[in-house]
Amino acid sequence: MSRHGGKLLVDQLVVHGADTAFCVPGESYVALLDGLYESPIRLITCRHEAGAANMADAYGKLTGRPGICIVTRGPGATHASVGVHTAFQDSTPLILLVGQVASDQEEREAFQELDYRRVFGQMAKWVAQIDQVDRIPELVARAFATACSGRPGPVVLALPEDMLATQSDARDALRFNAAQAHPGAEQLERLHALLQRAERPLAIVGGADWTRAASEAMREFLEANELPAGAAFRRQDALDNDSPSYVGDVGIGINPKLAARVREADLLLVVGPRLGEMTTSGYTLLESPTPAQTLVHVHPGAEELGRVYRPELPILSGMGQFARAVRELRVESRWRDWTTGARAEFEEWQRHDPMPGSLDLGDCIAHLRERVPDAIVTNGAGNFTVWVHRFWRWHHYGTQLAPTSGAMGYGVPAAVAAKAVLPDGVVICFAGDGDFLMAGQELATAMQYELPVVIIVVNNGMYGTIRMHQERQFPGRVVGTDLVNPDFAAYARAFGAHGETVTETAAFPAAFERALAAGTSAVLELRTDPEAINPRTTLTAIRAQASEG
Ligand SMILES: Cc1ncc(C[n+]2csc(CCOP(=O)(O)OP(=O)(O)O)c2C)c(N)n1
Ligand SMILES: [Mg+2]
C-alpha cells in the first residue's frame, strides 16, 4: 500500500493509540494535515501553539499516553516550547511534531528554519528529524517508547516538508511497548527492614507515571501501616486527601508544621517525585548530598536517584510496579501518634482566619470542594495557586493538572484538554489576572469544540507573586507588577461564553451554579483585595517586616 509521508505518519499515531491531536496548522505540514483527513484522530485546532502544547501535556498527564502536538516551523515551534519545557519538568509523555524546511533547502536559514536538535536539546528526552519517509514507522515507534519509558517526557520529531509529501510503501509498525523497572525482592526486603527500625517515618508521594489503580494500591499500603504521607509539589492528587494517611502538600506555601515533620522524620519514603526545588522548600528540608533522614527514593529514572541527595535505598521502579509490590507489605506501626498528629495539623491548616476584602478566596474554594468534590482542577502560576494548594481536597489521581514548571498560561488549555478527554467531568480552571491573559484566547477553542469549562479568574490587579517578592526585597519600590485589566466578564461574553463578576464571598455559590448551568464555558472574575497576597499574610505586613529587617 503506497501512502504519502503525512498519511503514513498519522497511521502510526493511530497504531500507537493516539485518539486526539492538538495543533495550529502550518503550510509546512499540509501533507500531515491531509493524513488527518478521514483519520480516527480527533484534531483540535488551537489559537496559539503554547495552548496546543499545554493541552497535549494535560492530555499526557490524564491518559498516560503521549499528548500529540503538531506545529509549524520556527514560529510555531518556539511558541510551543513552553509546553515542551513543562512536559520535561513534569515528566509528561508528549510528542511534538514540527514542520521543517525541505531537505534541499536545509542549512540556508531558509524561511522559518531552525535546527530543532539544538533548540530543544535541553528540554526534550529525544529530538530527531525524519529524513527518509520509509523510516517513519521506526522513528515514530521510538518516539512513543521514549516518551513513555522510565521517567516519561517530551520527544520532538522534525518533519521536512518534502519527506512528508513523498510516497512510501513502508508497513505499519506494531504498537509500542513501554519499558518500566520493577523493585526487586532485595529492595523490598531492605525497605521492610528500614521501616521496622523507623520511629518517625514519612512518605512523600508524587511525580508522574501514576494511575488510579497505583494510587489506590499505595493508599492501601500507607493506611494499613498507619504511615503519614505528604504530596509533592502540585501532585496532590497522588493520594486521596481524605485518607487518614494524607498530611498535606510538600510544595510552595507548605504548612510550617509539615515542613518541621519532614525535617524531623527519621525515614523519608519518597515515592515518585524528583526531589526538586519546590518539593524541598528550596533544598532546605533535606541536606545535600547526605540527608539526616534515612532516604528511600523510588523513581522511574535512574539518573534521578542520587542526583541531589544520597538515598540509603534507591529503588528504580515505575509507580504501578512499586505500589503493587508494597500493597501487602506490613510492618508493626510504632508511630500512630506521629501520624494522627500530622493529620490533625493538616485539618487545622485547611481552616483559615478571615482575609482582607469582601471576597475570601479560601471560603470560595472551601465551597467548591464540597459542591464539586471530584472536579478536575487546573491552574497556571501565581499566588492565587497557594490558596488552591492549601484549601482544595483531591480524591482521585488525575484530577489535578498543574505545572510543576511554574508556567503561567497553563490552566486554561489544560482545562480544555481535560474536558476533551473526560467530557462528563466538571472542570475548573483557577487563573490569576496575569495568568489568564497568557492563554485566554483558548476560550475560543473551548467554544469551537463545545468543551464547557469553568474558569475562575482571581483578579487582584497585579502580578501578585512578583509584587510579593518585590516588597520583601525592595519594600515600597513597586515597579513592573501593576496590571490594568479588561472587564473579564465582557471578555468572556465576546467569545459567546458566560461571564460574571463576583465581588463578595456570599455571591459566589449562586454565581458558580449559573456558570455550571450555562451550557457553555464560563468565566467568573473574582475581585480580590490586593492586600490578601497569600493566605497567611498581607502586603502591608510583608512591607513592614521587610522595612524593619
Ligand atoms: C510564563 C511565565 N512568565 C512569568 C512567570 C513569573 N511569574 C510567576 S507568578 C507571576 C505573577 C502571576 O500573576 P497572576 O496570574 O495575576 O497571579 P497572582 O500572583 O497575582 O495571584 C509571574 C509573572 C512565570 N512563572 N511564568
Ligand atoms: Mg494577579
Side-chain angles (χ1 to χ4, degrees):
M1 174 177 71
S2 181
R3 296 170 276 191
H4 62 60
K7 173 88 171 94
L8 177 59
L9 199 158
V10 170
D11 287 348
Q12 304 316 295
L13 300 180
V14 174
V15 161
H16 297 300
D19 56 17
T20 308
F22 305 93
C23 83
V24 174
E27 70 275 29
S28 62
Y29 70 84
V30 285
L32 175 51
L33 271 179
D34 180 71
L36 286 158
Y37 188 77
E38 291 176 337
S39 109
I41 290 182
R42 177 186 197 187
L43 184 64
I44 295 184
T45 295
C46 303
R47 304 309 173 103
H48 191 296
E49 289 86 353
N54 284 325
M55 286 185 207
D57 177 273
Y59 176 98
K61 281 196 177 89
L62 282 170
T63 64
R65 301 194 302 271
I68 306 295
C69 179
I70 317 175
V71 301
T72 197
R73 299 177 187 175
T78 47
H79 270 177
S81 62
V82 68
V84 177
H85 179 249
T86 290
F88 192 78
Q89 290 233 301
D90 286 14
S91 309
T92 310
L94 183 149
I95 296 176
L96 180 71
L97 302 171
V98 193
Q100 177 59 297
V101 303
S103 317
D104 60 349
Q105 317 274 308
E106 264 177 47
E107 295 293 340
R108 290 177 175 170
E109 197 193 330
F111 185 56
Q112 305 179 332
E113 180 178 1
L114 281 177
D115 175 347
Y116 299 110
R117 290 188 177 93
R118 282 192 285 159
V119 172
F120 289 107
Q122 203 198 335
M123 58 177 130
K125 270 186 91 175
W126 180 51
V127 188
Q129 182 163 307
I130 308 183
D131 288 319
Q132 289 162 306
V133 69
D134 292 344
R135 293 190 65 191
I136 285 177
E138 171 202 338
L139 294 170
V140 173
R142 177 166 166 199
F144 274 84
T146 303
C148 294
S149 297
R151 174 186 172 190
V155 165
V156 179
L157 289 179
L159 310 167
E161 192 175 333
D162 53 327
M163 183 281 295
L164 285 176
T166 304
Q167 291 287 317
S168 167
D169 296 324
R171 287 193 312 173
D172 286 345
L174 290 181
R175 190 166 178 158
F176 80 108
N177 288 318
Q180 203 53 283
H182 296 244
E186 196 184 315
Q187 282 83 40
L188 292 169
E189 263 167 45
R190 284 201 62 203
L191 172 63
H192 194 225
L194 289 173
L195 276 168
Q196 266 177 331
R197 251 186 281 147
E199 285 173 12
R200 296 178 310 283
L202 180 70
I204 302 176
V205 291
D209 188 47
W210 289 93
T211 59
R212 281 198 179 191
S215 161
E216 275 306 308
M218 195 64 202
R219 174 188 170 146
E220 269 181 59
F221 160 73
L222 293 166
E223 289 182 1
N225 296 300
E226 299 183 292
L227 284 164
F233 178 54
R234 295 193 168 157
R235 303 295 193 175
Q236 289 166 260
D237 60 346
L239 177 68
D240 183 353
N241 297 181
D242 281 343
S243 163
S245 279
Y246 183 75
V247 297
D249 72 302
V250 185
I252 291 181
I254 184 175
N255 180 353
K257 291 184 175 165
L258 179 56
R261 284 184 188 271
V262 178
R263 288 198 186 90
E264 280 164 34
D266 61 353
L267 176 75
L268 278 184
L269 173 58
V270 177
V271 187
R274 303 174 57 230
L275 284 167
E277 182 180 350
M278 294 297 138
T279 295
T280 58
S281 297
Y283 301 103
T284 63
L285 296 181
L286 292 83
E287 209 173 303
S288 169
T290 314
Q293 309 92 329
T294 300
L295 175 63
V296 180
H297 195 178
V298 187
H299 197 275
E303 62 291 337
E304 214 46 49
L305 297 167
R307 181 180 189 145
V308 185
Y309 301 106
R310 171 196 175 272
E312 179 64 31
L313 174 58
I315 301 182
L316 181 66
S317 176
M319 296 303 103
Q321 290 78 0
F322 180 77
R324 281 193 296 278
V326 295
R327 171 190 256 156
E328 310 285 331
L329 192 156
R330 295 294 175 266
V331 277
E332 200 187 323
S333 141
R334 286 176 305 282
W335 44 75
R336 181 171 298 163
D337 292 348
W338 162 256
T339 302
T340 52
R343 175 68 194 180
E345 286 164 6
F346 164 68
E347 305 258 2
E348 181 57 34
W349 181 242
Q350 283 210 319
R351 289 184 268 279
H352 68 290
D353 295 331
M355 294 292 293
S358 57
L359 187 136
D360 188 310
L361 183 55
D363 288 340
C364 295
I365 293 174
H367 170 75
L368 288 179
R369 75 170 189 237
E370 300 298 322
R371 174 65 184 86
V372 282
D374 296 324
I376 293 174
V377 175
T378 78
N379 60 259
N383 264 31
F384 66 95
T385 65
V386 178
W387 276 265
V388 182
H389 300 153
R390 179 162 161 189
F391 297 117
W392 194 267
R393 279 196 190 194
W394 281 269
H395 301 292
H396 310 284
Y397 178 71
T399 52
Q400 182 181 33
L401 295 171
T404 66
S405 64
M408 293 170 70
Y410 181 83
V412 174
V416 175
K419 193 68 186 172
V421 173
L422 297 162
D424 297 331
V426 174
V427 181
I428 301 177
C429 164
F430 286 94
D433 47 333
D435 184 33
F436 176 65
L437 281 188
M438 283 202 186
Q441 77 284 344
E442 299 308 334
L443 196 48
T445 312
M447 297 305 293
Q448 180 168 344
Y449 295 93
E450 297 180 15
L451 301 168
V453 299
V454 179
I455 301 166
I456 293 177
V457 178
V458 182
N459 181 6
N460 57 4
M462 60 183 176
Y463 285 130
T465 302
I466 315 308
R467 174 72 183 275
M468 177 181 73
H469 288 287
Q470 207 159 50
E471 294 286 1
R472 274 187 192 146
Q473 293 172 48
F474 303 98
R477 293 171 61 83
V478 179
V479 54
T481 49
D482 281 345
L483 293 174
V484 174
N485 284 311
D487 175 342
F488 288 108
Y491 176 96
R493 288 194 290 271
F495 288 83
H498 177 80
E500 283 193 52
T501 311
V502 186
T503 56
E504 285 174 19
T505 310
F508 178 74
F512 180 72
E513 293 308 318
R514 288 189 291 275
L516 262 192
T520 71
S521 283
V523 173
L524 296 180
E525 176 193 344
L526 271 48
R527 294 248 172 94
T528 58
D529 190 326
E531 267 299 307
I533 189 66
N534 70 35
R536 293 176 67 192
T537 188
T538 61
L539 259 189
T540 305
I542 288 179
R543 184 184 305 169
Q545 213 178 4
S547 305
E548 278 166 26

